[in-house]
Amino acid sequence: MTTTTATTTTTPAARVVDAVKVYGGGDTAVRALDGVTVTFPAGRFTAIMGPSGSGKSTLMHCAAGLDTLTSGAARIGDTDLGGLDDRRLTLLRRDRVGFVFQAYNLVPTLTVAENITLPLDLAGGRGDPEWIDALIDVVGLRDRLHHRPAELSGGQQQRVAVARAFAGRPEVVFADEPTGNLDSRSGAEVLGLLGRAVRQTARTVVMVTHDPVAAAHADEVVFLADGRLVDRMESPTADRVLDRMKAFEVPS
Ligand SMILES: Nc1ncnc2c1ncn2[C@@H]1O[C@H](COP(=O)(O)OP(=O)(O)OP(=O)(O)O)[C@@H](O)[C@H]1O
Ligand SMILES: [Mg+2]
């Protein structure tokens, strides 16, 4: 008799194994990641949650190749980031990863269209014009293409940043508190957009947030506490995430 085991056949978009990150040394050393193993499956929207200081940004930065681990391994696709020199790491970040931060980080002198294609222009390519065109509709910015960032609302600026992150068809987009500066309505638009980008274009998103409503847009939430992975939740709702977060609070 043969047994069938449910295995994931696709390579994870990103993965960290036994990740340890220590900042500083001696008496002031901070163990920001204390042995985290987590997989971010391809084609999924994963949220990273946890209290302030639990290591969310550190995990994202190390998984994305913006920072290096003290020990353990980080992989994008099947590429081990620890084996890359600075030049290759820069190329990997440019060609295979997209980023969205709380501050939109748009170039004020460039138009919306120019901001969206900036990473491709810097890489010396034109990218895929059909993809960029479709992306402009996904983020709903077709009538703003020739505006400058200062002429846009915060939500619109973040939608430009989302389009820019996806412009080069990256394997994975990392977003750190992408709605942290937005009101709830603009935030919901940006989150809906990230969800659509995952579902309609089969991209992968990993998002750090402290907001249960934001996390509820993800397919799965992973919870960090004190630099450790303490829980995962499939198909989250804001209420369930909130309940889980309350469990982290120190009883008074
Ligand atoms: N560059 C750094 N140098 C020293 N310590 C750092 C550095 N970056 C982060 N830390 C420390 O590492 C721990 C984890 O920080 P991290 O920024 O990953 O937390 P976070 O979960 O993203 O928090 P927040 O929700 O406030 O953004 C904290 O104790 C923080 O003070
Ligand atoms: Mg953070």
Side-chain angles (χ1 to χ4, degrees):
M1 198 182 107
T2 54
T3 52
T4 313
T5 325
T7 50
T8 311
T9 49
T10 53
T11 307
R15 178 167 163 78
V16 301
V17 179
D18 296 331
V20 172
K21 177 68 178 180
V22 181
Y23 289 112
D27 288 351
T28 58
V30 174
R31 208 170 170 87
L33 296 179
D34 190 16
V36 175
T37 296
V38 63
T39 297
F40 300 112
R44 302 257 289 173
F45 185 178
T46 306
I48 302 173
M49 287 204 83
S52 183
S54 58
K56 303 182 296 295
S57 295
T58 303
L59 174 62
M60 193 200 99
H61 291 162
C62 292
L66 291 171
D67 200 353
T68 54
L69 291 168
T70 306
S71 68
R75 256 179 260 143
I76 298 287
D78 50 17
T79 306
D80 182 0
L81 304 189
L84 303 181
D85 57 22
D86 281 351
R87 191 185 66 88
R88 282 172 201 274
L89 206 50
T90 302
L91 290 177
L92 173 131
R93 284 195 302 258
R94 190 189 77 185
D95 298 335
R96 297 176 57 188
V97 180
F99 296 98
V100 182
F101 295 100
Q102 184 169 342
Y104 324 121
N105 296 344
L106 301 179
V107 179
T109 52
L110 299 182
T111 64
V112 166
E114 289 164 344
N115 267 286
I116 291 174
T117 57
L118 183 63
L120 302 170
D121 297 337
L122 292 176
R126 290 191 37 78
D128 175 346
E130 277 180 34
W131 168 260
I132 305 277
D133 199 56
L135 209 49
I136 288 164
D137 285 328
V138 174
V139 298
L141 289 166
R142 188 159 301 282
D143 59 347
R144 292 285 187 281
L145 287 178
H146 304 295
H147 289 61
R148 314 244 168 219
E151 298 165 331
L152 304 179
S153 70
Q156 289 168 335
Q157 290 187 56
Q158 193 62 309
R159 277 148 53 193
V160 177
V162 170
R164 179 184 57 188
F166 283 97
R169 304 189 82 131
E171 289 163 48
V172 50
V173 168
F174 291 95
D176 194 352
E177 305 268 7
T179 57
N181 281 343
L182 302 178
D183 60 50
S184 57
R185 187 167 153 266
S186 309
E189 274 171 22
V190 167
L191 292 161
L193 175 57
L194 288 170
R196 281 202 301 284
V198 171
R199 280 150 211 141
Q200 290 177 8
T201 71
R203 300 289 106 181
T204 304
V205 170
V206 177
M207 173 180 74
V208 169
T209 182
H210 64 264
D211 177 3
V213 174
H217 285 259
D219 298 311
E220 183 177 18
V221 182
V222 300
F223 294 91
L224 287 185
D226 292 331
R228 291 168 181 267
L229 187 84
V230 291
D231 206 357
R232 311 186 66 130
M233 185 187 289
E234 288 275 347
S235 307
T237 64
D239 284 344
R240 285 172 60 224
V241 172
L242 191 61
D243 281 347
R244 188 64 190 83
M245 293 300 291
K246 280 184 188 153
F248 293 127
E249 281 167 17
V250 184
S252 52

